[in-house]
Amino acid sequence: MTVEEFKNIVDASYDKGTLIPFWLYTSDYVFGMVPTTSDGARWTEISYTFEDPDEPLVKTERNADLSYQFLLEEIEKGVSFYIKDLLVPLIKEFAKTLESKSGPEKMNALIAELINNADKYSKSFPIIKSKDDLGTLKSKV
């Protein structure tokens, strides 16, 4: 999978109506969760690892409940390695308020919370907050 394919995914990631994708980047990789269906029932996890010569781009489609679990795990375990001031306990606390919601509701609520209140969780949270910021991701590859 090529750099061009990654850029096409990034460009199309805001095409599912009101559903907002989640994108973040570190010094080693870009991570994203992009809605696959317009109702948010399915999401595609995107990972682009800069130094992987064989397969830098990996895509995995899952239902919303499983995607939610993978998103939380990526933030709690993956990103926290790179972002030293990331307040993982606060993110877990917010996630507990979503337990009774459906998978699509959990995904949308968590993504909205992280985008709208990124500074609450880290002063240096490298997330994409709007479609206007997608150039940042594309410039990384």
Side-chain angles (χ1 to χ4, degrees):
M1 296 188 194
T2 67
V3 170
E4 284 308 311
E5 184 178 359
F6 173 74
K7 289 180 178 181
N8 290 337
I9 292 167
V10 169
D11 286 338
S13 66
Y14 277 82
D15 290 351
K16 290 294 178 197
T18 60
L19 297 176
I20 307 277
F22 180 78
W23 289 106
L24 64 80
Y25 53 92
T26 71
S27 56
D28 292 330
Y29 66 97
V30 171
F31 174 85
M33 282 286 186
V34 177
T36 306
T37 57
S38 59
D39 63 356
R42 299 201 56 82
W43 292 74
T44 300
E45 177 182 334
I46 312 294
S47 177
Y48 191 98
T49 306
F50 305 132
E51 299 300 320
D52 186 341
D54 298 325
E55 195 170 357
L57 178 61
V58 177
K59 302 183 304 184
T60 308
E61 185 179 327
R62 300 183 183 95
N63 69 41
D65 284 309
L66 199 51
S67 293
Y68 174 77
Q69 292 173 16
F70 274 85
L71 176 56
L72 273 178
E73 184 174 336
E74 181 62 32
I75 292 167
E76 293 173 2
K77 296 179 181 167
V79 178
S80 64
F81 175 78
Y82 294 90
I83 313 303
K84 299 304 179 199
D85 71 337
L86 186 62
L87 299 174
V88 172
L90 279 182
I91 295 170
K92 287 182 177 182
E93 200 174 290
F94 178 79
K96 285 185 183 194
T97 69
L98 304 176
E99 288 176 354
S100 66
K101 297 191 179 300
S102 69
E105 290 173 316
K106 287 178 184 176
M107 284 296 289
N108 291 325
L110 180 59
I111 290 169
E113 173 68 11
L114 294 173
I115 288 173
N116 295 327
N117 298 306
D119 290 345
K120 174 180 175 181
Y121 301 108
S122 168
K123 296 298 177 209
S124 57
F125 210 170
I127 64 175
I128 300 303
K129 295 183 180 182
S130 74
K131 188 174 185 173
D132 295 337
D133 298 333
L134 292 177
T136 301
L137 292 180
K138 294 189 292 186
S139 72
K140 299 284 179 192
V141 296

